């Protein structure tokens, strides 16, 4: 039998579901194997029957996984068997949890985050309480951004007693960190501003991965360190700051191209 398979995402987060779809001409049974797998790394979701060519699996441990699909027809298993192996096909991403030490402040914090498409006016926005070290807002919804598109952002706080600096990162290539070129999309140096606005341009398809990923907003007191994994790498060192994560996905815009004939055909 001829055999191939695809996944609806190759960059799931920990605990994220991945839907695999196998295509073949004669098979009526499909068996899936993942490497490495100690029995708990990857768990099967419905449907569980091997007679379905569409299966969902949950990846519980970060890492790189090789995926194998074996297919056959039950009328003559040996004669119809085929196997496809895709090496390093799924990368399960785990982002660091930011650390600021043990000090929080309602003044040096984040109270509002928005992303706006200036072409359509579509806006994502979230209001939050400050004084929290880190909040993961990826479960409130995913904002779609177009490859090559330019977007505006705005970060606010309710009071401005102290100076602070702000940064915004986006993990464009969905590798679990914010250290790659172009992933720091905005920086405001130490200032007493209530609101900070800016814009960023989404990379092209060869530099960004089409999968859910994270935008991280971080603030830190005055000119103190403000890095993707926190205002300090040492939990015993006090820093004042706050971090928030949001879910985004880079997608094709879906616009039909227009081709116009210039000169003679």
């Amino acid at each position: 039998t001829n055999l191939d398979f695809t996944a609806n995402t190759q960059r799931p987060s920990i605990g994220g579901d991945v839907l695999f779809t196998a295509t073949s001409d004669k098979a009526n049974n499909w068996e899936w194997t993942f490497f490495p797998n100690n029995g708990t790394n990857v768990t099967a979701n419905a449907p569980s029957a091997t007679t379905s060519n569409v299966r969902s699996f949950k990846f519980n441990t970060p890492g790189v996984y090789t995926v194998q699909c074996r297919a056959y027809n039950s009328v003559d298993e040996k004669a119809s068997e085929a196997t496809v192996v895709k090496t390093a096909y799924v990368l399960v991403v785990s982002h660091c949890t930011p650390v600021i030490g043990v000090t929080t402040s309602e003044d040096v914090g984040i109270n509002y985050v928005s992303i706006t498409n200036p072409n359509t006016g579509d806006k994502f926005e979230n209001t939050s309480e400050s004084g929290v070290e880190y909040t993961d807002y990826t479960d409130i919804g995913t904002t779609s951004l177009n490859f090559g598109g330019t977007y505006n952002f705005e970060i606010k706080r309710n009071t401005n007693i102290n100076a602070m600096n702000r940064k915004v990162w986006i993990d464009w290539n969905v590798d679990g960190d914010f250290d790659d070129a172009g992933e720091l999309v905005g920086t405001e140096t130490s200032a007493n501003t209530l609101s900070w606005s800016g814009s960023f341009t989404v990379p092209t398809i060869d530099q960004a991965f089409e999968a859910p990923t994270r935008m991280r907003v971080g603030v830190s007191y005055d000119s103190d360190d403000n890095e993707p994994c926190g205002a300090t790498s040492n939990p015993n060192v006090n820093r004042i700051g706050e971090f928030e994560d949001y879910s985004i996905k880079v997608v094709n815009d879906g616009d039909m191209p227009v081709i116009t004939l210039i000169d003679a055909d």
Side-chain angles (χ1 to χ4, degrees), residues 96-100 133-134 165-169 177-179 184 187 216-221 223-234 239-245:
C96 62
T97 299
V99 176
I100 67 167
E133 181 174 355
Y134 167 67
N165 67 85
R166 298 174 169 111
K167 290 182 179 179
V168 179
W169 301 267
D177 62 50
F178 302 93
D179 301 331
L184 175 61
T187 301
R216 177 162 293 177
V217 180
V219 304
S220 185
Y221 173 75
S223 57
D224 284 353
D225 290 342
N226 188 357
E227 300 298 331
C229 291
T232 175
S233 59
N234 185 347
R239 291 287 189 270
I240 300 175
E242 186 173 340
F243 289 81
E244 293 182 354
D245 277 0

Side-chain angles (χ1 to χ4, degrees), residues 173-187:
N173 61 354
V174 201
D175 64 350
D177 62 50
F178 302 93
D179 301 331
D180 300 290
E183 292 189 336
L184 175 61
V185 300
T187 301

Side-chain angles (χ1 to χ4, degrees), residues 12 20 68 74 79 86 100 108 129 137 159 163 185 212-213 233 241:
F20 292 91
Q68 172 183 295
S74 55
K86 297 189 178 183
I100 67 167
V108 181
E129 297 293 329
Y137 287 111
T159 60
V185 300
T213 188
S233 59

